[in-house]
């Protein structure tokens, strides 16, 4: 079985970990391709940082810090302390010493002329991930946030200000001229099923969909497109997706996100949508929009519950 997942952030990482465990136990020999958001990426102190690619890689490798939800387990931060002492970089954006090794490797290979997709293959080859990570694009597409009085890189708005500055909109710089990275369109076209992870609908999945060619590939694939809600009982599971949804005029609810994505039969994204049992009352409205809907437990509390969620997504 060939499974393709649109993914980003911690929710995407945990979903992919559960999917991998389910596939290893029940669908041996299957292939999982994860198309990963790169809109959070940036240059900082001469290094190319790719937060979503790295969070997913560390999670699948068993190297992520589960307490903080980001970075490597057992990290030290001596280099970041030195950078702050020199007045270099963003003092509120801390990079762990082990993590910096990843960023140095990525930046070195990029400066040698390798595209991000090839660099990602090189970096991930170190680990037994069980999933191929494919950046959505090799071009630099960075998300910026429009706020009163100016524009901020998404990481400054998200990490420094904790989304406390009201967002007036989002701009993916460079998205109009970007192209899907090698392997992206093939992963969609050849998939038996495409899963949309419970990632931020606006700045993770939305950025992937904004790259020319990806929406058309999703519309054309013979695979069923099944999404998992990142909203449970009117609240975000993790992060600040509610602030992003508010900025584009979408209510923070499982039903509203499904309607925002839309039915594939009506030019949208989804064939099916999973909501939590707490949102079962929304099923008739979602079904009326042309999207098959199902209520299941969505909380990914551990690898076991994540694997059960992945199984439910495939069963739809």
């Amino acid at each position: 079985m060939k499974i393709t997942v649109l993914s980003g952030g911690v929710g995407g990482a945990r979903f992919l970990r559960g999917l991998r465990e389910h596939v290893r136990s029940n669908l041996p020999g299957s292939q999982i391709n994860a198309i990963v958001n790169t809109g959070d990426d940036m240059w900082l102190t001469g290094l190319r940082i790719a937060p979503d690619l790295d969070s997913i890689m560390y999670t699948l490798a068993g190297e992520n810090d589960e307490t903080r939800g980001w970075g490597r387990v057992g990290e030290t931060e001596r280099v970041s302390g030195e950078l702050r002492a020199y007045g270099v970089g963003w003092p509120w954006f801390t990079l762990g010493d082990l993590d910096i090794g990843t960023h140095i490797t990525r930046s070195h290979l990029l400066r040698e002329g390798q595209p991000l997709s090839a660099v990602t293959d090189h970096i991930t080859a170190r680990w037994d991930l069980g999933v191929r990570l494919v950046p959505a694009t090799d071009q630099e597409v960075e998300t910026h946030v429009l706020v009163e009085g100016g524009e901020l890189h998404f990481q400054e708005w998200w990490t420094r200000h904790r989304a406390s500055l009201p967002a007036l909109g989002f701009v993916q710089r460079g998205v109009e001229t970007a192209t899907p990275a090698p392997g992206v369109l093939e992963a969609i076209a050849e998939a038996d099923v495409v899963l949309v992870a419970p990632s931020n609908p606006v700045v993770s999945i939305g950025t992937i969909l904004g790259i020319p060619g990806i929406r058309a590939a999703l519309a054309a694939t013979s695979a069923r497109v099944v999404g998992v809600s990142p909203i449970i009982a009117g609240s975000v599971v993790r992060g600040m997706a509610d602030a992003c949804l508010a900025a584009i005029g979408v209510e923070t609810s499982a039903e509203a996100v499904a309607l925002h994505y839309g039915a594939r039969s009506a030019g949208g994204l989804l064939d099916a949508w999973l909501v939590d049992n707490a949102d079962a009352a929304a099923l008739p409205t979602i079904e009326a929009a042309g999207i098959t809907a199902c209520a299941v437990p969505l909380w990914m509390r551990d690898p076991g519950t994540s694997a059960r969620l992945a199984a439910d997504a495939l069963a739809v």
Side-chain angles (χ1 to χ4, degrees):
M1 190 174 190
K2 293 184 178 180
I3 306 167
T4 295
V5 186
L6 308 187
S7 183
V10 175
R14 291 180 176 177
F15 180 76
L16 281 165
R17 180 173 59 188
L19 176 63
R20 178 191 64 186
E21 297 314 304
H22 173 71
V23 165
R24 282 178 170 174
S25 299
N26 300 280
L27 298 166
S30 295
Q31 176 184 346
I32 305 173
N33 292 300
I35 300 172
V36 181
N37 167 52
T38 56
D40 297 10
D41 295 9
M42 61 183 175
W43 287 100
L44 183 68
T45 62
L47 301 177
R48 189 64 179 171
I49 315 297
D52 282 5
L53 281 166
D54 291 344
S55 290
I56 293 171
M57 178 176 71
Y58 296 151
T59 298
L60 293 174
E63 291 287 329
N64 64 304
D65 188 326
E66 293 283 354
T67 302
R68 293 191 300 181
W70 55 273
R72 295 275 294 275
V73 67
E75 270 286 19
T76 53
E77 298 173 351
R78 296 184 65 186
V79 174
S80 283
E82 287 296 291
L83 293 174
R84 283 193 291 273
Y86 285 121
V88 173
W90 289 339
W92 42 265
F93 194 88
T94 302
L95 299 173
D97 297 334
L98 295 173
D99 197 27
I100 287 173
T102 301
H103 305 321
I104 290 174
T105 301
R106 178 183 295 112
S107 305
H108 167 73
L109 296 174
L110 287 171
R111 288 194 174 97
E112 282 192 338
Q114 295 188 41
L116 180 61
S117 53
V119 172
T120 301
D121 285 341
H122 178 100
I123 292 174
T124 57
R126 174 184 177 184
W127 316 100
D128 178 21
L129 301 184
V131 178
R132 185 185 179 199
L133 305 187
V134 185
T137 181
D138 281 333
Q139 284 78 49
E140 293 181 11
V141 174
E142 297 187 10
T143 300
H144 287 245
V145 187
L146 302 176
V147 298
E148 186 175 351
E151 182 178 309
L152 305 173
H153 190 283
F154 174 75
Q155 287 295 342
E156 183 170 5
W157 179 75
W158 187 264
T159 307
R160 182 181 186 183
H161 297 286
R162 307 305 298 170
S164 61
L165 300 178
L168 305 178
F170 298 92
V171 177
Q172 279 78 30
R173 288 188 178 176
V175 72
E176 298 87 355
T177 56
T179 57
V184 168
L185 300 184
E186 292 82 358
I188 295 171
E190 297 170 5
D192 295 303
V193 61
V194 175
L195 303 177
V196 182
S199 303
N200 191 306
V202 182
V203 296
S204 292
I205 305 302
T207 302
I208 295 172
L209 297 176
I211 297 167
I214 292 183
R215 273 191 181 273
L218 289 164
T221 184
S222 61
R224 196 160 168 81
V225 180
V226 180
V228 179
S229 174
I231 309 296
I232 297 177
S235 298
V236 294
V237 174
R238 188 180 181 90
M240 294 158 280
D242 49 348
C244 299
L245 289 167
I248 64 170
V250 176
E251 179 186 72
T252 302
S253 72
E255 172 187 345
V257 175
L259 299 179
H260 165 68
Y261 282 143
R264 195 153 69 119
S265 60
L269 173 66
L270 300 171
D271 293 311
W273 184 241
L274 269 62
V275 305
D276 188 74
N277 289 330
D279 295 306
L283 297 183
T285 301
I286 299 170
E287 293 266 4
I291 303 168
T292 300
C294 184
V296 299
L298 292 193
W299 285 105
M300 295 184 289
R301 294 185 171 90
D302 51 46
T305 53
S306 299
R308 284 193 290 273
L309 174 57
D312 288 334
L314 291 176
V316 174

